[in-house]
């Protein structure tokens, strides 16, 4: 056996012989409990399955009572291995822990406690088992005496307390792993199931857990890492339905990382879950604009060239493609442009160099006595940002070129002197666009009579 008991496998643990009789002598287990353990322990799997079918809740009660009352490490490991074996063979057996005959037993408490107390084997098995048990809890209408009901004098651990304890432990494993190679995969695997629960999502965001996922979103090649990446992306996908989590995703580097993964992955399930996430985020906040800046439309085009077999993925790619096209249109609308100018901070967003935008929206500049144009010209005096100045010069040159009376209007608003000053600016991008604007102003003489007509 390994010197570090945390490295044990279930098979190694189950080779041990536990002195059940001694525990009965010291009254740590009952006579009935001893009978059940003798009947079950070391028997073939098919035989044990029959015992669980016949009287599953009784065996569960014995296992839980041992974990509650006995603290010897080898015994705790052994019982956890028995429960893990039982649930691995049939996950629906987790429902046995919620049987009405156990309604006065705190089936959660031992596992929650062991998350923090035991070696790695004990922690890992406790995490897996309690996640399965809480996942199979009955809905309110299925039972009146579900675990946590008030028909007991004892304090019984509630579902909310289970989620709180689990999320806290899982977040800790991602921050400070108990095991160098197994903590993170174990935590992510459990989260990929737990985060389907709304209360777990809320607690995970409160624990500042979203940022712990981001470093794990990275292109990988080996099989073990692919599974971890898939489960991490699955967690992000589930969180992409939850508004408070979306706010965290928006302020992290999640989007460029997701796009890098989808560009570099050939694993269909990874591509699928990332594309579904991107589709969810597309119309949230500034994600759409960021996606266009990160050239996602081209990535989607490339992905559509693959022969995917998953119909959900193909449909999601089509929806994402259409959504990105709509977003480009929306970004290129005059209202968006107006908002950008009025805020006084300009950047090379798609609309500035889009000839269709200028052609379709040139008359909109006339609204409110050329309000947007006047603000654009004011920016030339007031802004210290080279990018903003360069874009403002370029936009003025576009207005001069596209509006029938562009030159006269711009001159009338005293813009020429301001642009000429910028031809001596220290930033090359600014001088280049100021020069373009001046050239177009001087070439527009044939429209000079427009305002005098």
């Amino acid at each position: 056996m390994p010197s570090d008991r945390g490295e044990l496998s279930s098979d190694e643990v189950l080779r041990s012989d536990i002195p059940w009789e001694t525990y009965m002598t010291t009254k740590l287990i009952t006579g009935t409990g001893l009978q059940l353990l003798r009947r079950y322990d070391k028997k073939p799997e098919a035989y044990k399955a029959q015992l669980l079918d016949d009287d599953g809740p009784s065996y569960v009660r014995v296992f839980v009572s041992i974990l509650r009352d006995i603290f010897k490490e080898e015994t705790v490991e052994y019982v956890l291995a028995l429960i893990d074996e039982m649930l691995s063979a049939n996950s629906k057996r987790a429902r046995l822990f919620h049987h009405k005959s156990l309604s006065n037993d705190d089936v959660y408490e031992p596992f929650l406690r062991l998350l923090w107390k035991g070696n790695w084997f004990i922690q890992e098995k406790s995490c897996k088992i309690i996640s399965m048990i809480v996942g199979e809890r009955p809905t309110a209408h299925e039972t009146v005496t579900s675990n946590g009901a008030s028909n007991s004098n004892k304090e019984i651990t509630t579902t909310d307390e289970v989620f709180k304890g689990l999320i806290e432990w899982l977040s800790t494993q991602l921050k400070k792993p108990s095991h160098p190679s197994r903590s993170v995969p174990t935590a992510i695997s459990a989260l990929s199931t737990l985060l389907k629960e709304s209360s777990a999502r809320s607690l995970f965001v409160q624990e500042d857990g979203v940022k712990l996922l981001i470093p794990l979103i990275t292109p990988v090649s080996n099989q073990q890492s692919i599974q971890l990446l898939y489960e991490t992306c699955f967690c992000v996908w589930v969180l992409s339905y939850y508004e408070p989590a979306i706010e965290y995703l928006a302020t992290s580097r999640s989007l460029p990382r997701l796009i890098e993964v989808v560009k570099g992955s050939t694993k269909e399930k990874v591509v699928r879950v990332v594309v579904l996430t991107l589709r969810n985020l597309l119309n949230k906040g500034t994600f759409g604009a960021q996606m266009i800046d990160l050239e996602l439309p081209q990535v989607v085009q490339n992905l559509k060239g693959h022969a995917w077999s998953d119909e959900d993925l193909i449909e999601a790619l089509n929806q994402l493609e259409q959504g990105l096209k709509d977003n480009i249109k929306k970004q290129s609308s005059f209202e968006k442009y107006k908002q950008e100018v009025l805020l006084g901070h300009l950047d090379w967003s798609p609309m500035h160099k889009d000839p269709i935008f200028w052609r379709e929206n040139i008359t909109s500049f006339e609204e409110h006595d050329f309000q947007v144009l006047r603000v654009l010209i004011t920016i030339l005096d007031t802004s210290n940002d080279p990018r903003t100045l360069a874009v403002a010069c370029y936009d003025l040159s576009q207005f001069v070129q596209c509006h029938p009376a562009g030159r006269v209007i711009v001159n009338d608003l005293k813009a020429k002197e301001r642009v000429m000053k910028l031809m001596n600016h220290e930033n090359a991008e600014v001088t280049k666009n100021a020069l373009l604007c001046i050239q177009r102003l001087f070439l527009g003489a044939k429209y000079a009579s427009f305002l005098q007509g």
Side-chain angles (χ1 to χ4, degrees):
M1 279 197 180
S3 55
D4 178 3
R5 297 195 65 81
E7 298 295 330
L8 291 169
S9 70
S10 286
D11 286 345
E12 288 168 324
V13 167
L14 290 172
R15 281 185 213 129
S16 307
D17 286 306
I18 305 297
W20 302 120
E21 287 79 4
T22 311
Y23 288 126
M24 197 195 86
T25 310
T26 53
K27 296 200 164 46
L28 285 168
I29 56 176
T30 63
T32 309
L34 178 64
Q35 278 183 321
L36 289 164
L37 286 163
R38 279 178 174 161
R39 201 176 299 159
Y40 188 90
D41 194 17
K42 309 288 185 196
K43 298 297 189 293
E45 192 176 329
Y47 182 77
K48 287 194 276 199
Q50 190 58 55
L51 293 176
L52 291 169
D53 287 345
D54 293 344
D55 195 13
S58 297
Y59 290 95
V60 164
R61 180 181 287 110
V62 173
F63 296 154
V64 171
S65 67
I66 291 169
L67 294 177
R68 187 185 61 229
D69 300 331
I70 297 172
F71 298 98
K72 189 171 173 57
E73 193 173 47
E74 290 85 347
T75 308
V76 170
E77 289 165 354
Y78 194 89
V79 173
L80 288 171
L82 283 177
I83 298 172
D84 181 44
E85 176 189 64
M86 162 186 122
L87 297 180
S88 296
N90 181 355
S91 62
K92 295 300 176 198
R93 287 176 181 157
R95 291 176 182 174
L96 294 171
F97 289 79
H98 301 287
H99 192 269
K100 61 179 185 240
S101 64
L102 279 86
S103 61
N104 288 333
D105 291 81
D106 194 341
V107 296
Y108 291 133
E109 185 278 329
F111 303 103
L112 268 186
R113 174 171 43 80
L114 291 169
L115 283 175
W116 302 98
K117 300 285 187 194
N119 60 41
W120 176 249
F121 180 90
I122 290 172
Q123 288 181 45
E124 186 177 30
K125 294 300 179 211
S126 298
C127 168
K128 182 181 173 186
I129 291 163
I130 197 169
S131 298
M132 292 176 84
I133 295 171
V134 77
E136 287 292 340
R137 69 191 185 285
T139 56
H141 71 271
E142 284 177 324
T143 177
V144 180
T145 56
S146 60
N147 195 41
S150 57
N151 63 342
S152 162
N153 297 323
K154 291 187 295 182
E155 281 291 316
I156 286 183
T157 307
T158 64
T159 305
D160 285 345
E161 287 167 332
V162 174
F163 284 133
K164 192 172 188 308
L166 257 177
I167 292 293
E168 196 180 331
W169 184 80
L170 293 167
S171 299
T172 302
Q173 291 308 308
L174 294 176
K175 286 178 210 162
K176 294 179 183 170
S178 303
H179 190 283
S181 61
R182 280 159 49 190
S183 279
V184 172
T186 297
I188 294 293
S189 183
L191 282 168
S192 67
T193 303
L194 276 177
L195 290 176
K196 295 172 189 171
E197 305 269 0
S198 59
S199 51
R201 288 196 293 276
S202 172
L203 287 161
F204 189 63
V205 170
Q206 286 168 38
E207 275 283 326
D208 211 6
V210 179
K211 72 177 183 189
L212 303 173
L213 300 175
I214 309 304
L216 302 173
I217 306 170
T218 184
V220 293
S221 52
N222 69 65
Q223 193 54 49
Q224 190 180 2
S225 301
I226 285 171
Q227 186 58 23
L228 176 60
L229 174 62
Y230 168 70
E231 288 176 344
T232 304
C233 292
F234 186 89
C235 290
V236 175
W237 172 62
V238 173
L239 290 167
S240 73
Y241 287 96
Y242 183 55
E243 287 298 331
I246 291 170
E247 289 170 28
Y248 275 78
L249 292 171
T251 54
S252 69
R253 283 195 45 78
S254 60
L255 191 59
R257 283 177 170 273
L258 287 166
I259 292 173
E260 277 307 304
V261 163
V262 88
K263 271 161 73 172
S265 184
T266 52
K267 199 74 179 169
E268 191 158 345
K269 68 178 183 178
V270 173
V271 174
R272 175 179 183 266
V273 79
V274 173
V275 168
L276 290 171
T277 305
L278 294 172
R279 185 188 67 182
N280 281 0
L281 295 175
L282 178 62
N283 294 314
K284 304 287 185 183
T286 60
F287 276 110
Q290 288 180 58
M291 287 175 188
I292 292 158
D293 289 344
L294 292 164
E295 299 178 353
L296 184 59
Q298 185 55 51
V299 176
V300 171
Q301 278 301 311
N302 295 341
L303 288 170
K304 287 188 74 178
H306 290 263
W308 305 110
S309 59
D310 188 312
E311 286 183 13
D312 285 348
L313 170 54
I314 295 163
E315 184 188 355
L317 278 169
N318 288 333
Q319 289 170 342
L320 187 55
E321 180 184 42
Q322 186 56 49
L324 286 165
K325 282 179 182 169
D326 293 344
N327 238 278
I328 290 170
K329 276 186 201 162
K330 204 188 301 174
Q331 275 194 56
S332 299
S333 74
F334 188 74
E335 275 309 304
K336 177 85 180 355
Y337 176 85
K338 182 177 172 180
Q339 189 183 7
E340 196 176 310
V341 173
L342 294 179
L343 287 170
H345 186 78
L346 305 176
D347 207 336
W348 293 115
S349 49
M351 59 194 140
H352 295 279
K353 294 193 173 182
D354 180 5
I356 297 168
F357 167 78
W358 289 96
R359 194 165 63 241
E360 289 181 353
N361 294 290
I362 197 66
T363 55
S364 301
F365 281 85
E366 298 172 10
E367 291 169 7
H368 308 297
D369 193 23
F370 295 93
Q371 179 202 22
V372 172
L373 193 66
R374 288 171 190 275
V375 176
L376 199 59
I377 293 166
T378 305
I379 285 170
L380 298 177
D381 272 344
T382 56
S383 179
N384 296 317
D385 175 45
R387 173 62 53 84
T388 295
L389 291 170
V391 177
C393 286
Y394 180 84
D395 285 4
L396 274 175
S397 74
Q398 288 288 80
F399 178 80
V400 170
Q401 188 176 41
C402 298
H403 195 285
R407 175 184 171 275
V408 175
I409 295 162
V410 169
N411 278 334
D412 197 44
L413 294 172
K414 308 278 190 291
K416 188 160 64 175
E417 297 77 9
R418 300 174 197 194
V419 178
M420 287 186 84
K421 270 190 212 168
L422 294 175
M423 286 173 69
N424 298 319
H425 198 278
E426 60 188 8
N427 181 280
E429 191 182 22
V430 176
T431 55
K432 175 187 159 190
N433 286 287
L435 179 62
L436 173 68
C437 186
I438 291 297
Q439 284 171 340
R440 287 184 177 173
L441 273 169
F442 282 116
L443 289 172
K446 63 181 175 177
Y447 297 119
S449 61
F450 180 78
L451 292 182
Q452 293 143 27

